[in-house]
Amino acid sequence: MMNAYAKPLPRTDVDSQPFWDGCKQHELRAQQCNDCQRFRWPPQAFCPGCYSWNFAWTRLAETGKVVTFVVVHYAAVAAFQPDLPYVVAHIAIDGTDGHVQLISNVIDCPWEEVKVGMAVRAVFEDVTPEMTLAKFRPA
Ligand SMILES: [Zn+2]
């Protein structure tokens, strides 16, 4: 779906909507199991650790580490052309035992300087009135 922002936006659903509501408030949130305390990612109905259906949405740290990344040099969607080259990374959020790994951009940093293990901090971009994206910059 296109919009004034011109780039395709994430598709929300009943499981992920609280995450996006958190981004709107400039907070990172994830489900945490009420029975074994494990964080769940991506958002889902039951715990991948103990299969419990009980959970609460919990505010996360805004810091994390780059687990892995790619550098995109070809834009399959024309709206991303001006951003080339850009970094898409898995970011392990601090305090989640590696269970919450967001896939996002590392920005405000030349792509040649992005490293596995690099400490990053969330930055929230209000891209439309309805959607805020969590991206990351060097901490
Ligand atoms: Zn559990």
Side-chain angles (χ1 to χ4, degrees):
M1 188 184 88
M2 298 311 277
N3 49 73
Y5 174 61
K7 295 174 182 171
L9 292 171
R11 211 173 276 207
T12 66
D13 62 24
V14 67
D15 288 321
S16 68
Q17 188 61 51
F19 171 78
W20 299 110
D21 292 345
C23 286
K24 198 87 216 138
Q25 302 297 313
H26 291 197
E27 294 180 7
L28 295 179
R29 298 176 186 166
Q31 294 164 303
Q32 186 172 21
C33 180
N34 284 340
D35 291 309
C36 75
Q37 312 311 311
R38 176 181 165 148
F39 286 95
R40 298 182 199 176
W41 193 262
Q44 55 200 284
F46 60 86
C47 177
C50 75
Y51 307 111
S52 170
W53 292 71
N54 299 316
F55 68 91
W57 281 89
T58 303
R59 185 175 181 176
L60 305 177
E62 292 179 6
T63 56
K65 305 264 184 313
V66 174
V67 175
T68 189
F69 67 97
V70 295
V71 180
V72 178
H73 292 275
Y74 171 79
V77 174
F80 289 99
Q81 189 79 33
D83 300 338
L84 295 174
Y86 62 88
V87 173
V88 177
H90 282 232
I91 310 293
I93 302 303
D94 291 342
T96 67
D97 292 325
H99 289 133
V100 178
Q101 290 194 15
L102 303 183
I103 300 173
S104 186
N105 299 123
V106 177
I107 61 171
D108 299 337
C109 173
W111 65 266
E112 298 93 332
E113 293 178 15
V114 176
K115 301 274 187 283
V116 169
M118 185 172 125
V120 291
R121 172 173 288 280
V123 50
F124 296 93
E125 289 188 2
D126 299 309
V127 294
T128 71
E130 298 80 26
M131 178 59 67
T132 298
L133 301 177
K135 298 185 177 181
F136 291 84
R137 64 166 51 121

